[in-house]
Amino acid sequence: MPDRAFSPVISLLTVAAVWDAHLGAQLRDLGLTTRKYGLLAHIEATPGISFSELARRSQITVQSAHTAVQTLVADGLVADATKHAGAASDLRVTERGSEVLHAAEQRLAALDAGLAAGAPGLATALEGLHEQPFGLAPE
């Protein structure tokens, strides 16, 4: 097998996959996946958010956002007060959804603490990158 140069991209993807699996395991009994957790958090942060904006923030298609939100509605975590097809959406987190989101955030905080304790330099280096990624060509 040939020696390959170190790739920070591959390393970051590997670490991300490992921590995503840990987060997924922590969220499973709450009925959430990493994606559903993110969608629920966006909806709580911006009550009345449109499907288009939700999809943009989550980096998924509008169709995928509709499908995922339907599941969140069926699970009683989100209410969609849209009056009729074609109307602007009015998505809001239910009381149950808020409770589930709070529990998920506590579990995420514990995982964050574990990562920060185990790799403090990495945790510090990652700070702010979620909001302001770098090194990618503009779309």
Side-chain angles (χ1 to χ4, degrees):
M1 178 179 233
D3 288 337
R4 291 201 166 86
F6 167 74
S7 170
V9 170
I10 297 300
S11 293
L12 184 58
L13 291 171
T14 302
V15 169
V18 168
W19 284 96
D20 183 52
H22 285 295
L23 179 57
Q26 289 294 313
L27 298 176
R28 192 169 297 119
D29 72 306
L30 296 173
L32 296 177
T33 61
T34 303
R35 177 176 284 178
K36 286 180 184 177
Y37 165 74
L39 292 168
L40 194 60
H42 284 308
I43 294 167
E44 184 180 65
T46 312
I49 192 170
S50 70
F51 280 98
S52 299
E53 179 62 15
L54 185 59
R56 187 190 66 74
R57 288 186 190 180
S58 303
Q59 299 184 7
I60 60 176
T61 66
V62 174
Q63 182 178 355
S64 293
H66 273 280
T67 301
V69 168
Q70 286 174 350
T71 302
L72 293 171
V73 169
D75 292 343
L77 304 177
V78 169
D80 183 359
T82 304
K83 301 295 182 217
H84 57 81
S89 59
D90 187 11
L91 302 174
R92 298 184 186 279
V93 172
T94 64
E95 185 176 333
R96 180 171 181 270
S98 186
E99 292 168 0
V100 168
L101 186 58
H102 179 71
E105 288 170 344
Q106 289 180 318
R107 295 173 186 194
L108 175 60
L111 287 175
D112 285 341
L115 187 142
L122 176 60
T124 299
L126 292 172
E127 198 168 327
L129 292 183
H130 175 75
E131 295 82 10
Q132 295 292 324
F134 65 91
L136 301 175
E139 294 181 18

